[in-house]
């Protein structure tokens, strides 16, 4: 794949250059003199003109990013000064007042901000930037990973793990387009998204912000996000820059803790962690963020191997790299590969870093390094060219401001809410159903309870508080969706998964008496504005996968009443709910379905929506099974655990429907091909039930014998289809060389002749797949 990319890229760039005089590729012929303020001049010439006018300080200023003032204020409000100092994840600048920050902008020493939380603030900051000598606008970034959810009033879409459960790349692209529109309307130009980490350890708190465990699915979702955020090119005023992060492999930390080391072979890097980045780069991702962690002793932020040799030279990345929060500082404070901040700056810039996220400890050391001749000014120019290119192409020199009175027409519109609802509906995974769902006609009274029944945890991480009326909780969804004859009895036990008491449990049991059905909503809390109660999300790792607090007792007590129970999980990572899977007749994995999630959950439970989500990640039985992913090697499970079951609780790709789908055998266009050929695989799928439904058809490949060990199966294609009752559809996949290639012992990409299994079906579990054989000569 890497080799193919190298050939294709120059061609794509040539076409783009030819298409648009605003090209960013090369200064126009003869380097004719243009003014950077001339909007009609080619971008590359504008960049060169501006660069030639800038002082060293102004250049390094462009590489410096700070946190927005309102965010700083929020941090100060939520934390005591001692708490602020105790954790470098908090935003604060000791000794720097708001006025000092404005002075830094006006003297050209800040080029970018992150987390500017109001449009008014964005305009104020841009106004200050207009007072600089060269009037260079600010680039404003924000963690808009499932909608611009840090912004009050934005549409909060389902989190990435939910989006991956839809297996619907077009929908994800639409969400990214809408997110971009909401960002531009409110003053941001750069989404720190998509997170294309391949999540392989559910103890890690950030699983919910990934697209799951499979490199192919993560890559496809990443491409959809990049395409939606950036558009074909990001000159469009409704598009923003995308940022692929975190390069690389922080998603399988040795102990499950965020930012801890990653010890990983080159093979695993190339087979598992690099491919989604390659795909997103091929799709044009213009920015990348380095990862907190080290790889085999080499911290990513100081790694020339990763940031230059791999990212730029091998993968062909053409944009700019931003550091992650405090990670340049951590080269000294945590990794200790240098003994001063100045050396940290040297290491990272020399390795290929283009922008320092957040804070003052960069500009002066970097200037000194240039003045001393250790970093060349040309090295700084390389970074600044890319940063200016982004600002020109985004149109910020022409108009850095937003119209505050127009925001309401662009954010949380009817259309955006309806997309969020569609995504929530498609993302919900019905894990188990012993004929309890959808709710039957004879049910008259429903008890609904549990800590997540009536709160905002369904928004997930990277959301700030939203107006109450913008979020539909599960209880509110039930009220809207239930048939008139059903009486809903909500038992309130507070809103925190960690705070359940014996009294809550016994009261819920007592309340269950006159009800025909119990719905209990449990799970986790990823809300960053409720830091005291968070059980999930960034920096919230766990050493077990059980329900936190006394939620398990609550479920068991309700089950012991003898009434039928539905468990709804609202959570941001797989939970090892083995007892629930074995004892509770219906289990709904809702993940974190966003602001419209409560309605979607209710619709699934009452049968107004036929569930169609599929797991983008394996659910293990317990923490001891980690690592637990479907694309493992054969030797992984040749031996078994002695006293417990060896397989996962729910397989990757699993998800039930109220319809039944019958699969035919996969049929190949040719059963023998040459290694450079493509092959088509067709499978017939029939809805044999009386209910229309949607199904995600999955295709896996297995190389039967190879010179290095290969996974038991690998996802190489998927398609979401809808089928009316009794309807049959043929689904055709096209497999090219990439589906059969791997890295040999010399780490060269190769295809070996021999036999391959091609399997199609409804999940990665063997019992859900039908298989045929392909021979490659
Ligand atoms: C996270 C990044 C995020 C950045 C800015 C860091 O702590 O690792 O994913 O983009 O903060 O909020």
């Amino acid at each position: 794949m890497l080799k193919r990319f190298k050939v294709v890229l120059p061609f794509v760039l040539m076409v783009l250059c030819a298409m648009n005089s605003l090209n960013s590729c090369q200064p126009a012929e003869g380097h004719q003199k243009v003014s950077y303020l001339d909007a009609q001049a080619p971008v590359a010439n504008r960049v060169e003109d501006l660069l030639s006018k800038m002082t060293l300080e102004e250049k390094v200023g462009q590489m410096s990013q700070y946190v927005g003032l309102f965010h700083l204020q929020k941090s100060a409000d939520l934390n005591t000064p001692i708490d602020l100092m105790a954790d470098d994840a908090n935003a604060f600048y000791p000794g720097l007042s708001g006025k000092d920050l404005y002075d830094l902008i006006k003297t050209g020493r800040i080029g970018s901000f992150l987390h500017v939380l109001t449009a008014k603030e964005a305009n104020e900051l841009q106004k200050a930037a207009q007072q600089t000598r060269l009037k260079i606008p600010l680039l404003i970034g924000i963690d808009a990973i499932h909608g611009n959810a840090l912004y009050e009033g934005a549409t909060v879409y389902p989190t990435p793990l939910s989006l991956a459960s839809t297996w619907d790349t077009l929908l994800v692209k639409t969400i990214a387009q809408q997110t971009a529109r909401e960002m531009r309307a409110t003053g941001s130009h750069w989404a720190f998204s998509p997170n294309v980490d391949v999540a392989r350890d559910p103890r890690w708190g950030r699983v919910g912000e990934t697209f799951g465990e499979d490199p192919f699915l993560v890559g496809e979702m990443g491409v959809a996000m990049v395409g939606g955020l950036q558009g074909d090119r990001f000159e469009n005023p409704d598009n923003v820059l995308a940022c692929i992060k975190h390069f690389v492999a922080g998603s399988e930390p040795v102990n499950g803790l965020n930012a801890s080391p990653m010890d990983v072979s080159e093979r695993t890097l190339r087979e598992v962690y690099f491919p989604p980045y390659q795909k997103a780069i091929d799709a044009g991702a213009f920015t990348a963020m380095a990862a907190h962690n080290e790889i085999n002793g080499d911290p990513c932020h100081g790694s020339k191997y990763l940031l230059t040799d791999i990212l730029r030279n091998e993968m062909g990345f053409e944009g700019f790299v931003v550091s992650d929060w405090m990670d340049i500082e951590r080269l000294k404070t945590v990794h200790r590969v240098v003994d001063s901040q100045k050396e940290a700056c040297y290491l990272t810039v020399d390795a290929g870093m283009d922008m320092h996220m957040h804070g003052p400890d960069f500009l002066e050391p970097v200037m000194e390094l240039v003045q001393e001749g250790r970093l060349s000014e040309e090295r700084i120019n390389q970074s600044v060219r890319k940063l200016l290119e982004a600002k020109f192409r985004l149109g910020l020199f022409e108009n850095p401001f937003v119209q505050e009175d127009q925001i309401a027409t662009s954010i949380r519109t009817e259309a955006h809410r309806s997309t969020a609802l569609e995504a929530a509906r498609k993302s919900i995974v019905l894990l188990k159903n012993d004929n309890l769902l959808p709710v039957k006609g004879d049910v008259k009274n429903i008890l609904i309870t549990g800590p997540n029944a009536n709160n905002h945890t369904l928004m997930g991480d990277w959301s700030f508080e939203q107006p109450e009326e913008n979020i539909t909780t599960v209880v509110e969804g039930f009220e809207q969706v239930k048939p008139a004859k059903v009486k809903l009895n909500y038992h309130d036990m507070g809103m925190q998964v960690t705070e359940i008491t014996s009294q809550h449990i016994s009261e819920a049991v007592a309340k269950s008496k006159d009800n025909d059905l119990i719905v209990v909503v449990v799970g986790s809390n990823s809300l960053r504005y409720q830091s005291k109660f968070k059980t999930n999300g960034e920096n919230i790792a766990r050493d077990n996968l059980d329900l936190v607090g006394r939620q398990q007792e609550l479920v068991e007590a309700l089950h012991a009443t003898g009434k039928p129970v539905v468990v709804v999980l609202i959570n941001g990572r797989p939970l090892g709910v083995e007892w629930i899977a074995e004892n509770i007749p219906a289990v709904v994995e809702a993940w974190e379905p966003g602001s419209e999630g409560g309605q979607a959950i209710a619709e699934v439970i009452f049968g107004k929506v036929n569930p169609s989500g599929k797991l983008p990640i394996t659910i293990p039985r317990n923490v001891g099974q980690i690592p637990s992913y479907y694309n493992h090697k054969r030797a992984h499970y040749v031996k078994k655990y002695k006293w417990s079951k060896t397989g996962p609780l729910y397989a990757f790709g699993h998800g039930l429907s109220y319809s039944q789908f019958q699969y035919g055998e996969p049929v190949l266009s040719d059963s023998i091909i040459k290694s450079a050929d493509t092959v088509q695989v067709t499978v017939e799928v029939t809805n044999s039930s009386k209910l229309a439904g949607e199904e995600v058809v999955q295709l896996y490949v297995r190389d039967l014998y190879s010179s290095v060990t290969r996974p038991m199966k690998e996802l190489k294609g998927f398609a979401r289809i809808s089928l009316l009752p009794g309807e049959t559809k043929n689904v055709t996949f096209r497999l090219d060389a990439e589906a059969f290639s791997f890295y040999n012992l010399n780490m060269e990409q190769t295809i070996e002749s021999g036999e391959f299994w091609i399997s199609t079906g409804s999940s990665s579990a063997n019992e859900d797949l039908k298989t045929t054989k392909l021979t490659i000569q």
Side-chain angles (χ1 to χ4, degrees), residues 687-718:
N687 180 353
S688 58
S689 70
K690 294 200 167 66
L691 204 66
E694 296 199 6
E695 168 70 333
V696 177
V697 183
Q698 300 161 44
L699 181 148
Y700 297 89
V701 169
R702 176 175 176 191
D703 192 345
L704 288 190
Y705 293 93
S706 42
S707 56
V708 299
T709 61
R710 302 287 302 133
M712 292 291 281
K713 50 179 89 95
E714 290 178 289
L715 182 75
K716 293 295 176 186
F718 59 88

Side-chain angles (χ1 to χ4, degrees), residues 142-164:
I142 194 162
D143 285 275
I145 72 162
H146 54 109
N148 192 19
L150 295 176
Y151 192 91
E152 190 181 328
T155 313
V156 184
Y157 299 88
T159 55
L161 196 63
S162 283
L163 295 181

Side-chain angles (χ1 to χ4, degrees), residues 282-415:
D282 291 2
F286 196 76
T287 85
M289 191 185 290
H292 295 312
N293 51 290
E294 64 163 77
I295 300 277
N296 309 330
D298 188 16
C300 297
H301 277 70
S303 175
K304 201 175 229 171
Y305 165 71
L306 289 172
L307 300 185
T308 298
D309 299 348
I310 297 292
L311 194 68
R312 286 195 188 277
N313 297 343
E314 198 174 311
M315 294 185 169
F317 176 71
E318 295 255 309
F320 67 85
V321 181
V322 63
S323 67
D324 201 351
W325 187 279
M326 296 300 282
D327 280 309
I328 296 177
E329 287 73 359
R330 290 184 192 128
L331 291 171
K332 171 187 169 242
T333 59
V334 174
H335 301 294
R336 294 183 169 243
V337 290
V338 288
D339 61 4
S340 68
Q341 174 66 8
K342 182 168 165 184
E343 289 309 309
C345 291
Y346 173 73
L347 193 65
T348 195
V349 174
D350 188 52
M353 186 60 67
D354 299 303
M355 183 187 278
H356 173 243
M357 176 182 282
H358 151 56
D361 295 327
F362 183 75
L363 184 126
E364 276 161 20
V366 172
M367 282 183 61
E368 271 175 40
L369 287 161
V370 177
Q371 280 148 1
E372 288 163 9
R374 291 185 61 206
L375 287 172
S376 69
E377 187 152 350
E378 184 45 30
R379 168 65 198 90
I380 302 302
N381 289 347
Q382 281 167 4
S383 294
V384 179
R385 275 192 188 100
K386 290 292 164 190
L387 297 163
L388 296 177
E389 177 187 334
K391 292 180 178 184
F392 281 119
R393 289 177 62 189
L394 285 161
L396 300 183
F397 280 85
E398 282 63 59
N399 182 15
F401 301 109
V402 289
Q403 277 184 276
E404 291 168 46
D405 58 355
Q406 294 301 306
I407 293 172
T409 60
S410 306
I411 74 170
R412 208 165 179 276
T413 61
E414 269 307 311

